[in-house]
Amino acid sequence: MTSHHQIAAAARIGMLTRERDTTAASAQALRELARALPLDAATLLTIDPLTGSHVQIASIGYTAEASQALAGEFVATPWYRNVVRRELPPSISEDAEDAGLRFRHGWFYAERVRPAGFRDGVTGALRQRGRLVGLVHLSTESADAYDTDARRLLASVIPALAAFADPLARACDLHGLATEDAASLVTGDGRVIDLPGRDRPRVLREEDGFGALLDAFAGTGGQRLRLLWPSGGGWRRVVLHRHPAGPGLAADAVLVHEMPTELPYGLSPRELEVLTRAATGQTNQAIAQALFLSPRTVHSHVEHLLRKTGCASRAEATALAVRDGLLRPDPDHLARFVER
C-alpha cells in the first residue's frame, strides 16, 4: 500500500517538471524516487530524436562504467524488448514465467548488474502520447525488493519522468506555445525535427529565403526574435526561440513556431517594409535608396503608417514595431531586434 511519504515524493517529482533546467530537475527527481522506493542507484535515459540512441539524462549511485552500460548495451538485450512491451515496469525478481529469472540468468545480469553489487532492479519504459521517449532504471543491493506495489508506484510517476526524457514535448511546454501553433526544431546543421502533434511551420516548407534569416538569428546568440513573414499567399506571425541545450538536443537548436495572421493595423506590405527599415535607424533618404523609391513616396508611406498605428512620430512607431514584433527584418538588419 502506498504511504503518505511515497505520495508526497511522487507529487514533488511532478512539480519538478515545471523547472527549466532539465538536467538538475531530472537528478532531483531520481533523489525523490530514492525517498519513495528501495534503490541504491538509478538512471534516466532519453532517446535522441535524431539518432535514436539512448542518452543518459541523470544518474545517481552508478559508477561511470555501469551507467554507460545501461545507456548503451542494455538496449541490445532481450530484456529491453520485455521492458518496452510492458505497461507495468518489470523487475528482476519477477518469476520465471514472466521473464524475470531469464534475465537473471543472462549475460547482462552476470557481467554488468551483479559485479556492480546489485541483486534486484526495475526498468520502466517512458512514453509520451504513445511514443517511446526513454527509460528509467532503478537498482538495489537487496534481493526481491521490487514487489508489485513498488512497481505500481514507479508506474505512477512515469508520466512525469517521461516529461524530462522527451525533449520534443518539453520544447513546446518551455516556450508556452498555443495548441494550434505550428512548430518545429531546427538544428545548427539545418535539420528539421518535427514535434509531436504539431504541423511543420510553412516558413520551413517553402523556399522563400527564410533559411538565411534563421541562420542569421542563430549567429546573433540571442534568445528570441518576433517577426512577420509572407508565406502561402498570406502572412505568418513567426517567433524564433533559442532552445536550451539538453540531452538529445544540441545547444544551437532553434524552435520555430508560427501562426497565420493579417498584417496588423491595416498596414500594407510596403508600409511594413518601410517601418522595419525605419526601426533600424535608416533615414527616409536611405530607405528610398534601398527600396528604389522617391523620398516623397517614402515620406507618404511614413505618414500613412503613423496614421494607421496611431503613433505621433517615427520614434513611437519604431518602438511599437520592436515591442510587438511588427517587423519583416532581412538577415543583415535583424541583430538589433533580437531579444537577449
Side-chain angles (χ1 to χ4, degrees), residues 203 206-211 213 225-231 234-238 263-264 267-280 282 291 321-322 324-335 337:
V203 294
E206 298 180 351
E207 294 294 333
D208 57 2
F210 188 79
L213 186 82
L225 175 65
R226 295 172 299 153
L227 61 127
L228 298 165
W229 195 264
S231 183
W235 286 84
R236 298 290 188 275
R237 184 175 291 277
V238 182
L263 284 182
L267 294 173
S268 70
R270 180 63 86 183
E271 288 164 352
L272 176 65
E273 194 165 13
V274 169
L275 177 58
T276 301
R277 290 185 175 274
T280 67
Q282 293 183 19
L291 300 181
V322 173
D324 294 345
L326 310 183
L327 304 160
R328 193 198 166 183
D330 61 54
D332 296 330
H333 298 97
L334 62 77
F337 304 132

Side-chain angles (χ1 to χ4, degrees), residues 130-302:
R131 296 179 300 114
L132 182 67
V133 297
L135 292 175
V136 58
H137 185 81
L138 314 182
S139 295
T140 179
E141 297 172 3
S142 304
D144 304 323
Y146 298 114
D147 58 16
T148 300
D149 285 342
R151 292 157 55 209
R152 284 175 177 164
L153 179 62
L154 179 59
S156 73
V157 299
I158 274 181
L161 298 177
F164 296 122
D166 186 6
L168 303 187
R170 192 168 177 80
C172 299
D173 295 338
L174 284 176
H175 300 296
L177 272 63
T179 304
E180 65 275 11
D181 291 353
S184 294
L185 280 164
V186 182
T187 64
D189 58 4
R191 287 181 291 179
V192 178
I193 305 174
D194 292 320
L195 301 181
R198 303 271 177 174
D199 291 333
R200 178 177 293 192
R202 184 180 289 272
V203 294
L204 296 177
R205 291 184 271 138
E206 298 180 351
E207 294 294 333
D208 57 2
F210 188 79
L213 186 82
L214 187 59
D215 290 342
F217 167 74
T220 66
Q223 295 301 310
R224 187 171 75 151
L225 175 65
R226 295 172 299 153
L227 61 127
L228 298 165
W229 195 264
S231 183
W235 286 84
R236 298 290 188 275
R237 184 175 291 277
V238 182
V239 185
L240 309 182
H241 299 269
R242 182 174 298 278
H243 190 67
L249 284 178
D252 57 4
V254 174
L255 178 72
V256 180
H257 78 91
E258 69 169 26
M259 62 225 75
T261 189
E262 301 290 335
L263 284 182
Y265 301 105
L267 294 173
S268 70
R270 180 63 86 183
E271 288 164 352
L272 176 65
E273 194 165 13
V274 169
L275 177 58
T276 301
R277 290 185 175 274
T280 67
Q282 293 183 19
T283 64
N284 283 6
Q285 182 67 36
I287 295 172
Q289 291 178 349
L291 300 181
F292 302 101
L293 301 173
S294 70
R296 180 182 294 276
T297 300
V298 172
H299 178 77
S300 177
H301 284 316
V302 171

Side-chain angles (χ1 to χ4, degrees), residues 50-127:
L50 290 175
T51 66
S53 61
H54 288 69
V55 180
Q56 181 177 286
I57 302 175
S59 178
I60 58 173
Y62 288 113
T63 65
E65 181 182 2
S67 192
Q68 182 61 34
L70 282 170
E73 295 176 312
F74 176 75
V75 299
T77 68
W79 180 252
Y80 172 72
R81 293 191 291 274
N82 182 46
V83 167
V84 169
R85 68 181 178 84
R86 301 286 296 277
E87 292 297 326
L88 187 64
S91 70
I92 292 173
S93 56
E94 289 181 277
D95 62 26
E97 293 181 1
D98 217 7
L101 293 181
R102 286 201 295 273
F103 175 72
R104 186 169 293 188
H105 294 161
W107 71 267
F108 193 81
Y109 180 78
E111 296 180 18
R112 295 288 184 264
V113 178
R114 285 299 293 127
F118 304 120
R119 299 180 66 191
D120 201 3
V122 60
T123 306
L126 307 180
R127 291 183 173 84

